[in-house]
Structure formats: C-alpha cells, structure tokens
Amino acid sequence: EIVLTQSPATLSLSPGERATLSCRASQSVSSYLAWYQQKPGQAPRLLIYDASNRATGIPARFSGSGSGTDFTLTISSLEPEDFAVYYCQQRSNWPLFGPGTKVDIK
Amino acid sequence: EVQLLESGGGLVQPGGSLRLSCAASGFTFSSYAMSWVRQAPGKGLEWVSAISGSGGSTYYADSVKGRFTISRDNSKNTLYLQMNSLRAEDTAVYYCAKDYGDYEFGWYFDLWGRGTLVTVSS
C-alpha cells in the first residue's frame, strides 16, 4: 500500500515569499500526482495534475515538479489568498491523499 | 453554471442508514466518472467511492466496502451514496467530486461540491 508523506506540516511565510511544499510517496507513483488547495470551510480545489500540469484557471505562480517518489509544489510569490492547506494525491492505484501542509501567515 | 450540490446529510445513530445526493449542473454529467470524498472534522481527505459515467463500474475504499453503495441517475444528473451500518468513524463532511477528464476513470477531481455533514452519534 502506497503511503504519502507531506512536509513540512506547517509552513509559516510572509506574502511575497516563495513557498516550497514536498510530497513523498513510499513507492513510485510515476507522474500520477495532483495537488489541491483547501481553505477553511471550503471544498478542495485542483491546482496541479500529473505532477506538473496546471489545472484550468490556476495562476502561473503555482508550479509542480517531480516524478517517481518525490514531488514539489512551488508557489513563486505568495498572495494573501494562498494561505491555506495543500494536499497531494496519488492515483497510481486508488486515490490517496497526503496528510496536508498548512501554509500560514508569519 | 458548473456546480455540484450535495444534500441528505444529518445526524444518525450508529447502525443507521442515510442516503446522500449530489445534483450536477453545467456539464454533461453522463460523460464523467464521479466520486465521493469525505473529511472527518479537523482531518484530511479520504476517497470513499467512485462510479463510471455509465454507472457500469464502481469502486469502494476498504473502509466502506459492503456498507456503502454508490449509484447515479444520468437522466436526473444526480449522484447518490447509500450508507448503511453507519459507525462513529463515518462522521465527516462528504463531498461529491467530478473526474477531471472524460476517461472511464481519471482519478483526479476538478469540481467539488460544498459538502454535506454526516454525524453518526447516539
């Protein structure tokens, strides 16, 4: 069974800073990995699919990279609306979400 | 407007049953697989079940297999989740989610409803 680990659990940054979030799989998931953003009281929003493809309407400041077991979501310059929880999700077998990384305001 | 709207949540006793509905609009419902994803209070996301666009293929997480049944009515653009033998650990917000591509199953979710809260407690 594949396990996803996200780090750090919490990332405290200021608006305008660069955010780098990590997702690691216990075995290879090829490029079958997505990233979602969830704000309090809201549903998740798909940001990135297949490791590096931005979903429709997602700003260019969001980018994804990686393959195999190590993946990264980068937010190049944090906007106030980007402070949220971010989940990775693999689809190599059943959909499985990571535990999340909370990006909060420093 | 493209949207999903869940309903049917509420308070139910352990061992009880509940049926959730998800009304879809703004897209060709029958072309897309659909899933239910749940989130326990203060916790992360857990995929629960999926159904193909035609309804001919269904899948379940081990945690709900044999207790939950997913179905859809493409004439009504509606997705369902019948939940039986409910347990305290089924307490969560249940989201319906649309598959991102018109494959049988894309397994990424590009449209989500607002969710409906299911509370299992005596």
Side-chain angles (χ1 to χ4, degrees), chain B residues 32 41 44-45 54 62 81 121:
Chain B
Y32 296 92
L45 300 165
S54 67
D62 287 344
L81 185 67
S121 175

Side-chain angles (χ1 to χ4, degrees), chain B residues 1-5 22-27 111-114:
Chain B
E1 182 185 0
V2 178
Q3 66 176 1
L4 299 170
L5 185 61
C22 171
S25 58
F27 63 98
L111 179 66
W112 298 63
R114 293 186 175 183

Side-chain angles (χ1 to χ4, degrees), chain A residues 33 36 38 50 89 91 94, chain B residues 39 59 106-109 112-113:
Chain A
L33 191 106
Y36 297 82
Q38 187 179 33
D50 287 344
Q89 177 234 320
R91 70 171 186 101
W94 305 123
Chain B
Q39 186 170 35
Y59 297 96
W107 296 121
Y108 301 132
F109 312 113
W112 298 63

Side-chain angles (χ1 to χ4, degrees), chain A residues 31-34 36 38 42-44 46 49-50 87 89 91 94-95 97, chain B residues 37 39 43-47 59 95 100 105-110 112-113:
Chain A
S31 295
Y32 299 138
L33 191 106
Y36 297 82
Q38 187 179 33
Q42 296 186 18
L46 178 65
Y49 65 93
D50 287 344
Y87 295 97
Q89 177 234 320
R91 70 171 186 101
W94 305 123
F97 295 88
Chain B
V37 178
Q39 186 170 35
K43 302 298 184 182
L45 300 165
E46 180 189 17
W47 171 78
Y59 297 96
Y95 296 101
Y100 86 114
F105 290 96
W107 296 121
Y108 301 132
F109 312 113
D110 67 349
W112 298 63

Side-chain angles (χ1 to χ4, degrees), chain B residues 82-96:
Chain B
Q82 177 66 43
M83 304 186 295
N84 299 330
S85 303
L86 282 161
R87 306 166 180 166
E89 55 264 36
D90 295 318
T91 294
V93 173
Y94 284 73
Y95 296 101
C96 65

